[in-house]
Amino acid sequence: MTLGRPAPPPLGKLLSGPAAGRRGPTVAAYGATSADSGLVPLEIGRRDPGPHDVQISIAYCGLCHSDVHSTRGEWRPQRYPLVPGHEIVGRVTAIGADVTLFCPGDLVGVGCMVDSCRSCASCEEGLEQYCEEGSVGTYGAADRRHAGETTQGGFATSIVVDENFCLRMPASLDPAGAAPLLCAGITTYSPMRYFGVQPGDRVGVVGLGGLGHMAVKLAKAMGAGVTVFTTSPEKTEAAMLLGADAVVASGDAAAMAEAAESVDLVIDTVAASHDLVPYLRALRRDGALIQLGLPGEDMPPIPVGVLMRRRIAYASSLIGGISETQELLDFCAEHDITADVELVTARQLNQAFDRMVAGDVKYRFVLDIASLKENA
Ligand code: NAP
Ligand code: ZN
Ligand code: ZN
């Protein structure tokens, strides 16, 4: 041990917990202790439920590519230890004295945010993700209402969340398949609604992973036709089974040329740097490309002439607000939409992250939290 430097806490001990003076249990979790540690078993503190809080026993948590970017420090330096996971489904086990929206036993969800200022113009409009003071992420964020304690996500046996950031999960949907709706689902639903996807429109979906396959299902349910653009031609048959009307191998220049000016909206979900020009060329006049992926590296520049020639818009979008997420969950219940998931155990998490980076997932890994309890 180097003198003058505190020893790192041993793994498996309490690594993050409720701020001083706050009481709460210690629970089993999986998270990263540094950008290159991978995911390891941890114990974290959770606060006792306050007056407006619900305590949730987590059953399932989806694995989003953002979890990979975050735990590996690809976006920015992170506060470690970091327990990822923001596609959380579980049952309410306790509620605070002033909770009115949920009861013990309710099946609930938690997505990418656990708080916001609740009073700025964006919050007033139900767009908490664009909170002018910054929304509080489900993990790796300073929890302003709780003494700046670092939030920790859903790769854990339980979580405590303000009732206003909790979603009601439709009883008709399989809870493991519904977990990814809380990020992959809402992130693709929100821009398609904002940009007004209508029956008869054509939506292009770039990248057939977690977000991409949800975009296909949701666009179809909105009545649109769908073209999938993929770097993996072997996904063609599976994409058609998901409902795609056409699949274009993005590496096939002739096929891409044929797809020119064929879609009204492009939902780009690619998790790595790539050239957007071929997809901008696929847009008809007045079309828009929505870049949802947030690669760790810079993207090649967009020549403005490509946009100008057909009044094309290049835009982005961040998850969705709480009320819109509830709307999406209810929409999915109505249309019987869930994610296609592969359940993984806690011990398989690192392999699942690697497989996600390699594009080897159909189409969302979901952590079975029961396996974490067995490890505890
Ligand atoms: P994912 O499941 O890993 O899917 C990404 C897909 O992109 C892959 O399956 C692959 O599809 C395609 N791809 C092409 N080239 C790639 C490459 N070099 N590396 C990785 N993927 C490549 O990821 P996801 O969970 O859907 O997330 C996608 C991106 O959206 C991530 O950057 C994530 O951080 C971001 N995200 C943004 C928001 C938001 O609010 N805007 C919310 C959630 C996630 P093909 O094989 O079909 O080409
Ligand atoms: Zn996500
Ligand atoms: Zn706000």
Side-chain angles (χ1 to χ4, degrees):
M1 186 176 109
T2 314
L3 276 180
R5 203 184 281 170
L11 293 185
K13 294 288 175 222
L14 183 67
L15 283 171
S16 171
R22 197 165 272 283
R23 292 160 60 92
T26 297
V27 307
Y30 256 68
T33 56
S34 70
D36 54 12
S37 68
L39 298 171
V40 296
L42 301 173
E43 290 175 10
I44 57 169
R46 293 294 196 197
R47 66 179 184 266
D48 283 332
H52 299 283
D53 285 334
V54 296
Q55 182 187 59
I56 302 162
S57 171
I58 303 175
Y60 299 104
C61 186
L63 276 62
C64 177
H65 210 112
S66 301
D67 300 328
V68 179
H69 294 309
S70 300
T71 53
R72 297 183 177 177
E74 291 173 0
W75 285 336
R76 56 180 174 273
Q78 294 287 340
R79 301 151 169 249
Y80 295 99
L82 185 151
V83 174
H86 57 210
E87 294 180 337
I88 300 166
V89 170
R91 287 212 182 267
V92 176
T93 44
I95 57 171
D98 298 334
V99 168
T100 57
L101 302 174
F102 299 97
C103 293
D106 285 353
L107 190 66
V108 294
V110 179
C112 303
M113 302 176 282
V114 291
D115 205 356
S116 69
C117 87
R118 309 184 197 188
S119 57
C120 72
S122 295
C123 287
E124 292 281 332
E125 278 183 61
L127 297 168
E128 299 89 353
Q129 74 275 32
Y130 303 118
C131 173
E132 288 160 26
E133 292 186 23
S135 61
V136 178
T138 301
Y139 59 80
D143 200 346
R144 293 191 294 271
R145 248 174 266 262
H146 297 283
E149 178 188 329
T150 302
T151 56
Q152 301 291 3
F155 293 3
T157 52
S158 74
I159 192 167
V160 177
V161 181
D162 187 290
E163 65 169 334
N164 293 298
F165 285 78
C166 203
L167 286 308
R168 188 168 298 286
M169 298 305 293
S172 61
L173 298 180
D174 167 58
L181 302 178
L182 294 156
C183 176
I186 183 60
T187 300
T188 49
Y189 179 85
S190 183
M192 286 199 281
R193 282 292 189 223
Y194 183 75
F195 283 87
V197 170
Q198 299 291 330
D201 285 351
R202 190 77 172 200
V203 174
V205 175
V206 186
L208 199 62
L211 267 60
H213 95 292
M214 287 312 312
V216 173
K217 293 187 183 199
L218 293 168
K220 289 301 291 184
M222 290 176 193
V226 173
T227 302
V228 168
F229 296 93
T230 179
T231 61
S232 315
E234 67 278 9
K235 291 182 183 173
T236 300
E237 203 185 319
M240 302 297 275
L241 286 175
L242 285 171
D245 299 282
V247 181
V248 178
S250 49
D252 179 340
M256 286 301 289
E258 218 167 287
E261 296 181 52
S262 63
V263 302
D264 302 290
L265 187 75
V266 168
I267 299 289
D268 187 316
T269 72
V270 176
S273 175
H274 60 292
D275 186 9
L276 293 174
V277 170
Y279 307 111
L280 292 166
R281 292 209 171 107
L283 283 163
R284 296 178 181 138
R285 196 202 69 222
D286 294 332
L289 183 147
I290 320 300
Q291 189 184 338
L292 296 177
L294 183 56
E297 328 85 53
D298 286 340
M299 299 274 290
I302 296 172
V304 71
V306 177
L307 304 176
M308 204 180 276
R309 269 193 289 278
R310 286 192 311 287
R311 198 162 54 184
I312 300 294
Y314 168 50
S316 188
S317 178
L318 178 64
I319 51 171
I322 295 297
S323 60
E324 193 178 38
T325 306
Q326 191 63 61
E327 177 189 306
L328 169 268
L329 291 169
D330 298 341
F331 178 88
C332 288
E334 190 186 327
H335 295 271
D336 197 22
I337 294 175
T338 51
D340 289 14
V341 305
E342 180 178 336
L343 278 187
V344 293
T345 65
R347 287 176 198 278
Q348 293 171 320
L349 278 172
N350 290 308
Q351 193 195 3
F353 271 24
D354 289 341
R355 281 182 56 194
M356 212 189 318
V357 172
D360 176 23
V361 50
K362 282 186 178 165
Y363 287 94
R364 199 57 145 186
F365 291 117
V366 171
L367 172 61
D368 183 351
I369 298 293
S371 69
L372 218 159
K373 289 174 184 158
E374 284 154 19
N375 275 351

